[in-house]
Amino acid sequence: MGTHNHLLQLGDGVYLEIVALDPESEAPNQARWFGLDDQRQVRADWEEGRRLRGWVARTDAIDTVLAGRGGVFGRKVALPANGPAFDFAIPDDGALPLDGAVPSVIDRRGKPRSMAAIADLGARLRGFCLAHPEPGPIAALYRELAVEGAPALILGPRLRYHAQIETQAGLRQLS
């Protein structure tokens, strides 16, 4: 997808992945995931303090998840292009699903994510929530899809994730 990806374990099979454009990589034949082609929006989110822009939920039935929901999640794309190992749902314009209010969806084709290859510096996720001006419809979609590990939903003036991560230096908040 023409990106740099950096991963950090957060315990219990959860990890933080930082994804950024790789300026030395060839652009993919489609829009990049996570809305990264819209650098104006990425920069605006960053400057506003919206550093956590989305999350990814794993499924073993991506076709079922996407059935009738392509307008939300996009279409299934086999990745990486040169030797697909997993399927990922990406909207045609590459945007985050519902601006990040719902997860992107990955199907690892029955294989678990190897956590052994991800750095473990002892950081642990202690809390994860999503503030949203209309959390009801988001909660309904999470229930409909039986999403596990979803963020707690709270009423807030705008879409904003908050994660509490325990580190060796104490509890840190990412937003």
Side-chain angles (χ1 to χ4, degrees):
M1 293 300 293
T3 59
H4 286 294
N5 301 45
H6 186 77
L7 293 84
L8 174 69
Q9 284 194 43
L10 295 178
D12 296 325
V14 174
Y15 57 93
L16 174 67
E17 185 166 3
I18 301 166
V19 182
L21 288 181
D22 179 353
E24 297 178 12
S25 178
E26 255 185 64
N29 294 331
Q30 65 183 61
R32 287 180 178 91
W33 50 17
F34 308 118
L36 291 176
D37 285 328
D38 187 351
Q39 284 294 290
R40 182 199 57 76
Q41 185 63 54
V42 171
R43 198 170 318 279
D45 286 346
W46 184 267
E47 289 171 2
E48 181 186 296
R50 184 180 169 198
R51 310 290 166 72
L52 295 179
R53 298 179 67 232
W55 63 289
V56 177
R58 182 176 177 272
T59 183
D60 290 324
I62 196 166
D63 293 322
T64 301
V65 171
L66 298 181
R69 298 183 190 95
V72 172
F73 296 106
R75 62 184 173 81
K76 180 171 73 172
V77 177
L79 294 170
N82 60 350
F86 62 93
D87 298 307
F88 204 90
I90 305 173
D92 288 338
D93 65 358
L96 290 163
L98 298 183
D99 193 31
V102 297
S104 295
V105 181
I106 189 170
D107 186 330
R108 295 199 169 277
R109 300 179 176 182
K111 300 176 199 133
R113 174 69 165 116
S114 172
M115 297 303 283
I118 301 174
D120 187 354
L121 304 178
R124 296 296 178 256
L125 183 65
R126 297 296 182 223
F128 183 43
C129 75
L130 169 61
H132 195 279
E134 296 182 38
I138 306 301
L141 183 57
Y142 287 176
R143 282 190 305 275
E144 179 184 328
L145 296 172
V147 176
E148 294 179 20
L153 290 162
I154 60 172
L155 181 63
R158 64 186 182 275
L159 190 155
R160 181 66 58 102
Y161 283 100
H162 302 281
Q164 294 79 39
I165 300 175
E166 186 70 41
T167 72
Q168 293 177 356
L171 192 63
R172 298 292 186 247
Q173 170 113 354
L174 297 178
S175 295

